Amino acid sequence: LDLDFTQLSLVDDVTISVDLGGGDMVVRLPEGVNSVVTWSVGVGEVTVTGEEDHAGAGLNGSFERHVDDDVPTVLIMVNLGAGALEVRP
């Protein structure tokens, strides 16, 4: 599942929830807005481009990119049962 938010244009804060029982997921973050990604992965791996990779069971964490106090924030909450999550800032 490829979630490409790179062209997302925001005027207000927004929250996006994604639930996937199993599989691989790539989340591509938009530029020009603050971004927060939280995840809960039952079994698998999490990769954030330019950051440390994590693998195993019960993976919970987050990634935050702050651009400016005066721009909106997109919060993406990922719940993945089993598989691989890749976050591309």
Side-chain angles (χ1 to χ4, degrees), residues 6 8 11 16 23-24 27 33 67 73-74 82-83 86:
T6 57
L8 185 65
V11 293
I16 300 167
D24 296 338
V27 177
V33 299
V67 175
T73 298
V74 58
E86 181 180 353

Side-chain angles (χ1 to χ4, degrees), residues 20-82:
L20 182 63
D24 296 338
M25 181 184 306
V26 176
V27 177
R28 301 170 199 269
L29 300 179
E31 294 185 19
V33 299
N34 300 316
S35 300
V36 178
V37 179
T38 64
W39 59 81
S40 175
V41 177
V43 176
E45 63 181 302
V46 176
T47 302
V48 179
T49 302
E51 303 283 327
E52 183 177 340
D53 297 346
H54 303 279
L59 302 174
N60 295 295
S62 64
F63 169 80
E64 181 173 344
R65 182 181 64 198
H66 184 270
V67 175
D68 190 291
D69 288 339
D70 295 327
V71 299
T73 298
V74 58
L75 168 61
I76 302 169
M77 300 183 304
V78 176
N79 185 13
L80 178 60

